[in-house]
Amino acid sequence: MNPPAPMESGCDMMKRTAKALKKDIENSERHAAEIRSKIAVLQGQANPDQAQIDALKQALEILEKKIEEDRLSLSTLEDVITENC
């Protein structure tokens, strides 16, 4: 039988969450850059597929909003960590 895992403090949990959120933001930013690149490639074609470009632009807009919301959440979490840990 394994001994019980040590309890994670609130500060440790918040720091772990902040680290994971930073990684999610970085991944989302990379994905957004890939979408921008795909849009640029499509727009550079002789007869670009406007429907595909529009769909990518919509996906990019949604992703950028998520990144903005995640950054705000991270900022708030970092403030709480700074004040309490």
Side-chain angles (χ1 to χ4, degrees):
M1 191 165 158
N2 292 332
M7 292 294 293
E8 182 177 44
S9 73
C11 287
D12 289 340
M13 181 195 66
M14 288 188 291
K15 288 175 184 176
R16 181 178 46 79
T17 301
K19 185 177 178 180
L21 191 51
K22 284 179 189 177
K23 185 173 176 118
D24 288 347
I25 291 168
E26 290 170 1
N27 289 338
S28 293
E29 288 173 338
R30 271 194 294 278
H31 188 217
E34 290 170 4
I35 293 173
R36 284 187 203 95
S37 177
K38 288 179 185 177
I39 291 170
V41 167
L42 287 171
Q43 289 175 331
Q45 294 177 348
N47 293 316
D49 181 347
Q50 194 58 46
Q52 188 176 10
I53 292 170
D54 291 343
L56 286 170
K57 284 182 177 180
Q58 184 178 15
L60 180 60
E61 184 178 332
I62 292 167
L63 186 56
E64 287 174 337
K65 285 180 183 177
K66 179 191 178 301
I67 292 169
E68 184 179 332
E69 290 170 1
D70 286 350
R71 284 184 180 147
L72 180 59
S73 295
L74 178 59
S75 176
T76 302
L77 182 56
E78 288 176 332
D79 288 346
V80 171
I81 292 169
T82 300
E83 292 172 9
N84 297 295
C85 297

